[in-house]
Amino acid sequence: VAIFDGKETTNAIPSGFYEIDSDYTGGLQRGCLTVIAARPSHGKTSLAHNIADRVCVTDRNPCIFFSLEMSVKALLWQWAASRSQVNGWLLRRGLQPQGDELGRMKAAVREIYAAPLRVYGSRLRDLDSIVNLTRLGVRRNGVKVIFVDYLGLMLIRGRFERNDIRLGYGVSTLKSLAG
């Protein structure tokens, strides 16, 4: 009946990208692990920021964002620039936003800080800490989605013959968190 009366029939969380949600994933599905993979400098981190922005800041779903590559400050600076539509390239060169851009950046920072979001930077890279903090976030704050930016930098304890086996173990461990 719900299908025919227009009511939502899925518990998926929209990513904010219509093409991804409609053509590929149907949104971020409960119990699924979604991996964004591409060659270096092809926008994976920016895509993850934009999805996290929609999921957490706009739609208010509790999230954790682990950046294994960037500091918390750098990550939030880039995120605020994206959210406020201020040129992040200029900010990385040390130029300060002025006038309207400065106002938009301040508003974006306030929105991000008000969101049900916890961000961990590059100092925290080991798999065991990611797993423990995720479980704690789910238990205490009802975290719905986690983002791990740059799986290849994840520190994984154990002896592995090859890097692909090490990374596969890390991904399967993260999948077990999804359900």
Side-chain angles (χ1 to χ4, degrees), residues 32 35 55 62 64 68 78 81 114 124 126 132 134 137 143 155 168 175 179:
C32 288
V35 176
V55 169
I64 300 174
L68 309 185
Q78 184 176 343
L124 189 145
D126 67 285
N132 291 334
T134 298
V143 166
L155 299 174
K175 170 59 180 138

Side-chain angles (χ1 to χ4, degrees), residues 58-135:
T58 301
D59 292 347
R60 312 294 297 167
N61 290 292
C63 295
I64 300 174
F65 198 107
F66 296 97
S67 176
L68 309 185
E69 182 178 36
M70 301 169 72
S71 69
V72 172
K73 182 179 180 181
L75 175 75
L76 292 175
W77 191 245
Q78 184 176 343
W79 195 334
S82 174
R83 184 166 181 79
S84 62
Q85 298 181 338
V86 170
N87 189 334
W89 183 86
L90 295 174
L91 295 174
R92 286 190 297 279
R93 301 300 176 275
L95 300 173
Q96 297 296 316
Q98 303 293 321
D100 182 50
E101 286 185 339
L102 181 60
R104 291 195 324 262
M105 279 287 288
K106 287 181 178 181
V109 167
R110 282 192 300 274
E111 292 167 348
I112 292 167
Y113 275 100
L117 170 68
R118 179 71 180 157
V119 177
Y120 295 97
S122 58
R123 289 191 207 177
L124 189 145
R125 293 178 35 199
D126 67 285
L127 178 62
D128 294 336
S129 295
I130 292 169
V131 167
N132 291 334
L133 288 168
T134 298
R135 287 181 177 148

